[in-house]
Amino acid sequence: SQQGEEDPQALSIQEGENATMNCSYKTSINNLQWYRQNSGRGLVHLILIRSNEREKHSGRLRVTLDTSKKSSSLLITASRAADTASYFCATDAAAHAGGTSYGKLTFGQGTILTVHP
Amino acid sequence: ETGVTQTPRHLVMGMTNKKSLKCEQHLGHNAMYWYKQSAKKPLELMFVYNFKEQTENNSVPSRFSPECPNSSHLFLHLHTLQPEDSALYLCASSQEGRGRAYEQYFGPGTRLTVT
């Protein structure tokens, strides 16, 4: 299965409710990132959490990371219709080529969030 | 606006055509990426360029040919594509350092349809 698998695949809630999405991964990571994508558009970076961090906040977003369980969760509080989008987690593992060390993100399949007004 | 632009936004091409996708980043980043996004599949990394040097070719068929003339521009040349190559092609850039992947900034994508 894929590095960075989101759960659930789809989530439908009412405005004002909280939305929680989970991500599991398999290998050691340097950091884990969450992105958002509106239909047919590019991804937008939301938040990055490093492997030595356990929790991070940004506005209505709260991300947790449990490296022992190789999992992360994204919580969106007080959701709005405008939060409707796909949400992806991406894990960073170092890669090497020709003597160069570079970062490489591996994305999960995403959670489709629908917030009903 | 993320500082990464892509043209064209939509492209329809026949299997015998040759076309190119263009990406430009205005962020001063040192790394650029091509991704393919197909329905019901995770985002697939195709190519990575660091300081204009290709550091990743993720087993991409030779009908896709990348070009990075400088650290701000990235092209994807397409020829003799197959219908299964129809997808959203996303370009991204980031500032890389010491083997770590930091936040990537994505363009709006090119929706490619191969007929």
Side-chain angles (χ1 to χ4, degrees):
Chain A
S1 53
Q2 302 283 344
Q3 171 86 339
E5 292 189 10
E6 288 91 343
D7 168 57
Q9 291 189 344
L11 182 60
S12 181
I13 59 174
Q14 294 296 127
E15 241 180 352
E17 293 180 342
N18 295 341
T20 300
M21 289 159 268
N22 302 297
C23 170
S24 60
Y25 58 92
K26 295 187 179 300
T27 64
S28 297
I29 61 172
N30 296 316
N31 66 62
L32 185 144
Q33 303 176 32
W34 285 90
Y35 287 80
R36 163 199 169 122
Q37 182 181 34
N38 287 78
S39 181
R41 303 295 302 259
L43 280 71
V44 175
H45 181 264
L46 294 176
I47 199 163
L48 179 155
I49 186 165
R50 301 183 196 282
S51 59
N52 61 353
E53 297 177 307
R54 292 296 165 258
E55 188 170 313
K56 204 159 184 181
H57 296 254
S58 176
R60 292 184 295 113
L61 306 181
R62 173 178 167 247
V63 168
T64 61
L65 179 64
D66 186 335
T67 52
S68 66
K69 294 181 180 177
K70 292 187 168 57
S71 68
S72 173
S73 67
L74 170 67
L75 168 67
I76 304 175
T77 60
S79 64
R80 305 166 183 167
D83 294 328
T84 295
S86 294
Y87 292 82
F88 298 87
C89 69
T91 51
D92 160 40
H96 305 273
T100 299
S101 176
Y102 64 97
K104 178 178 173 179
L105 285 183
T106 303
F107 286 82
Q109 203 150 344
T111 292
I112 300 172
L113 173 66
T114 304
V115 182
H116 299 281
Chain B
E1 286 295 330
T2 62
V4 181
T5 58
Q6 287 186 245
T7 55
R9 294 292 308 278
H10 300 272
L11 178 62
V12 179
M13 59 186 287
M15 289 190 283
T16 58
N17 290 159
K18 288 185 181 182
K19 296 285 184 183
S20 295
L21 309 185
K22 179 183 175 182
C23 176
E24 184 173 359
Q25 58 100 354
H26 310 274
L27 302 167
H29 289 161
N30 59 16
M32 295 186 76
Y33 312 80
W34 279 117
Y35 288 91
K36 175 184 178 183
Q37 187 176 36
S38 306
K40 302 190 190 306
K41 281 186 166 184
L43 207 60
E44 298 173 60
L45 178 64
M46 299 175 72
F47 302 103
V48 179
Y49 278 82
N50 280 260
F51 296 101
K52 303 186 297 178
E53 299 296 323
Q54 187 181 123
T55 49
E56 179 99 12
N57 177 340
N58 213 15
S59 303
V60 180
S62 59
R63 57 186 184 270
F64 295 92
S65 173
E67 179 190 359
C68 188
N70 55 61
S71 57
S72 299
H73 294 84
L74 187 63
F75 295 89
L76 188 63
H77 304 298
L78 317 170
H79 64 99
T80 58
L81 295 190
Q82 305 297 312
E84 60 264 28
D85 297 322
S86 298
L88 182 67
Y89 288 85
L90 293 164
C91 173
S93 72
S94 68
Q95 186 62 26
E96 294 303 309
R98 292 180 292 176
R100 301 292 175 92
Y102 296 107
E103 55 264 37
Q104 295 186 5
Y105 293 77
F106 284 78
T110 295
R111 173 66 64 186
L112 173 67
T113 303
V114 181
T115 61

